[in-house]
Amino acid sequence: MSLDDAIKQMSDKIKDACAIAEIKTVKMSDEEARLSVYAPAGDIQKIKDATFLPAIELLNSDGMDIQVFVYDKDAPPLKG
């Protein structure tokens, strides 16, 4: 499986859990990507539940490390 295939597979699971989620992808290497997901607060746990086991399976079976970070799209940005 390619990294792009793994990203697509995980993105589909995210969209199944929350059709309006916004996904930003950063490829870290040929085997690792970070998906930042912005969704309504009420859908955050659904997305986490939908992606937890598939992420572990991708890592164990294909060596693809797809990290999913879910954020409340309506939360104000943190001030540093």
Side-chain angles (χ1 to χ4, degrees):
M1 172 179 292
S2 73
L3 181 61
D4 288 333
D5 291 338
I7 291 169
K8 166 111 175 57
Q9 183 177 333
M10 194 61 70
S11 295
D12 289 346
K13 295 203 178 296
I14 293 166
K15 288 295 190 176
D16 286 346
C18 178
I20 62 169
E22 180 183 342
I23 305 167
K24 295 183 180 179
T25 304
V26 176
K27 294 178 184 178
M28 311 299 271
S29 71
D30 290 341
E31 300 88 22
E32 182 181 4
R34 175 187 170 126
L35 303 183
S36 296
V37 182
Y38 301 89
D43 291 328
I44 289 175
Q45 193 59 49
K46 281 196 302 189
I47 294 167
K48 288 180 178 181
D49 292 344
T51 58
F52 179 74
L53 285 177
I56 292 172
E57 290 169 5
L58 282 171
L59 184 60
N60 288 336
S61 65
D62 296 293
M64 295 292 158
D65 186 5
I66 309 299
Q67 303 163 24
V68 179
F69 296 89
V70 189
Y71 303 99
D72 180 352
K73 72 176 189 69
D74 298 317
L78 296 176
K79 294 182 181 178

